[in-house]
Amino acid sequence: QVQLVESGGGVVQPGRSLRLSCAASGFTFSNYNMHWVRQAPGEGLEWVAVISSEGNNQFYADSVRGRFTISRDNSQNTLSLQMHVLRVEDTALYYCAREINWIDLLDYWGQGTLVTVSS
Amino acid sequence: DIQMTQSPSAMSASVGDRVTITCRASQGISNYVAWFQQKPGKVPKRLIYASSSLQSGVPSRFSGSGSGTEFTLTISGLQPEDFATYYCLQHKTYPLSFGGGTKVEIK
């Protein structure tokens, strides 16, 4: 069955960096675009970033562009999110989710990994 | 960037009620809208994609409609397990954007 398992979350001080990972299984990872979506405590969903199936195209939310980098390793079925210059407002549960095509996206999500930015 | 304005932000309803949630896009987005349900402490679950296509396994009391700038999610005959928060998502262009959410509570 399809599984997406995020890891790498934790408590970090403002201005520091953190790297999240998402391990995929149960489907052909290299055929799917992959997304990160986050949710601050008690708040709604916020789309963060997407990477194409081959890894050659990325798009970002305005709030993270220039600070976050999405990447993937299709040989390891792994998605990553490198986060730099973290802010208090980046505190959230970070989910990875898959997209098969432009009509059919975010059908499966991981359980999320919590990032807390605090001094 | 496209903004999705979702209404209402919260509502109270009874079991058996017909519930309608609306999302308005700041510009035309064809049918590139999906709807998600999220229960407290749980992962969002996709209900509808391409504005009106029902996700496999989702009960038929859920339906979606709309095109252009106005979209609706309808629950025909609210069930106890439907009390949750619902989000729309536009995926016409990047950056993708979610609506603010609608919390459906028990009356």
Side-chain angles (χ1 to χ4, degrees):
Chain A
Q1 73 281 20
V2 174
Q3 275 200 308
L4 296 167
V5 180
E6 301 92 339
S7 61
V11 181
V12 61
Q13 293 179 325
R16 304 299 289 266
S17 301
L18 201 62
R19 186 178 183 90
L20 307 183
S21 295
C22 169
S25 61
F27 64 103
T28 305
F29 180 70
S30 59
N31 287 349
Y32 287 75
N33 299 337
M34 295 297 296
H35 296 253
W36 287 100
V37 176
R38 68 184 183 182
Q39 187 168 36
E43 301 296 326
L45 300 171
E46 180 187 14
W47 178 81
V48 174
V50 62
I51 187 168
S52 60
S53 58
E54 297 182 353
N56 53 344
N57 283 295
Q58 305 87 28
F59 295 93
Y60 298 91
D62 294 345
S63 57
V64 306
R65 189 178 298 113
R67 300 187 299 122
F68 290 11
T69 301
I70 188 171
S71 61
R72 64 190 297 158
D73 183 343
N74 285 347
S75 67
Q76 298 292 319
N77 292 345
T78 301
L79 173 73
S80 297
L81 185 68
Q82 179 67 56
M83 305 183 294
H84 294 298
V85 196
L86 281 161
R87 304 168 179 168
V88 171
E89 55 265 34
D90 295 319
T91 294
L93 187 61
Y94 284 74
Y95 297 102
C96 62
R98 71 175 195 175
E99 170 195 332
I100 183 63
N101 58 48
W102 196 233
I103 282 292
D104 194 353
L105 75 172
L106 307 189
D107 62 336
Y108 278 91
W109 300 53
Q111 292 296 311
T113 187
L114 181 62
V115 173
T116 303
V117 184
S118 173
S119 54
Chain B
D1 298 358
I2 297 174
Q3 280 75 49
M4 298 295 284
T5 303
Q6 189 171 341
S7 61
S9 56
M11 63 182 301
S12 296
S14 300
V15 172
D17 283 353
R18 179 183 177 93
V19 168
T20 299
I21 299 168
T22 298
C23 267
R24 177 178 292 112
S26 59
Q27 63 190 75
I29 55 172
S30 184
N31 68 332
Y32 293 103
V33 165
W35 290 93
F36 298 84
Q37 176 194 65
Q38 188 179 33
K39 297 179 180 180
K42 300 297 185 181
V43 177
K45 173 186 175 182
R46 192 178 74 174
L47 302 175
I48 301 286
Y49 63 99
S51 179
S52 60
S53 296
L54 190 67
Q55 173 71 30
S56 175
V58 172
S60 58
R61 63 181 179 272
F62 290 93
S63 64
S65 65
S67 183
T69 61
E70 294 279 337
F71 300 87
T72 60
L73 173 71
T74 300
I75 310 172
S76 301
L78 197 66
Q79 296 300 300
E81 60 268 29
D82 301 335
F83 292 95
T85 300
Y86 295 85
Y87 297 92
C88 62
L89 167 74
Q90 73 78 19
H91 53 101
K92 176 67 166 64
T93 61
Y94 293 121
L96 305 190
S97 46
F98 287 93
T102 296
K103 186 173 185 179
V104 178
E105 298 177 306
I106 301 173
K107 182 181 287 184

